Amino acid sequence: MTLPEDMNGSGVTRVGARPFVEVERALDELVVNGAERSSQFFIGATAAYEWALGRIENPPVTGRGGRGALDLPRLMSELDAAAVLLEIPDDQPGSLDFVRGVRTALAWVCGDDQVSVAGRAQSRDLT
């Protein structure tokens, strides 16, 4: 799987709105800070980061795989799918937590600085 380069010609490989290395660092921090946590939120966030980085082929929510660059529209499409699922009543809270983790991670990857998976991993009151 290939990743697109920055549009301004700097040659920086991007994942959505973020530099590739920044997303790798976020995944590494999640693994370190969330190591003792096995909640569905963190499992979903990890899956989202791994997919965005091209480490797994199928997206975590839709499961619709495919080859090619993970550009911003494709990442946003998966983010939108997660948001739609969260609007549907579900009696299985674990699955919603997984989707919340995916949504939070992908929102950050797509440029939303108001969300933070790492901040949640460091929080003592959120599991």
Side-chain angles (χ1 to χ4, degrees):
M1 186 170 296
T2 58
L3 297 167
E5 287 191 358
D6 189 7
M7 299 302 280
N8 68 10
S10 69
V12 174
T13 302
R14 315 268 308 164
V15 178
R18 309 276 177 197
F20 184 88
V21 295
E22 192 175 329
V23 179
E24 277 188 319
R25 188 173 30 245
L27 176 58
D28 291 344
E29 288 176 14
L30 176 62
V31 170
V32 169
N33 293 323
E36 71 282 359
R37 300 172 189 266
S38 60
S39 75
Q40 290 298 306
F41 178 89
F42 294 108
I43 293 168
T46 300
Y49 285 146
E50 288 178 339
W51 174 67
L53 289 167
R55 295 181 182 172
I56 59 175
E57 185 173 330
N58 292 330
V61 173
T62 62
R64 290 187 298 247
R67 301 263 179 224
L70 287 178
D71 56 10
L72 190 56
R74 196 156 163 214
L75 292 164
M76 291 292 295
S77 177
E78 189 71 3
L79 175 59
D80 290 345
V84 167
L85 281 179
L86 290 172
E87 296 296 320
I88 300 169
D90 188 345
D91 58 355
Q92 298 183 351
S95 63
L96 288 179
D97 287 342
F98 177 88
V99 175
R100 281 186 192 98
V102 170
R103 183 194 63 190
T104 301
L106 290 181
W108 178 80
V109 166
C110 292
D112 186 349
D113 289 323
Q114 301 300 311
V115 295
S116 170
V117 173
R120 186 163 176 166
Q122 294 168 348
S123 172
R124 294 285 181 225
D125 20 57
L126 296 171
T127 57

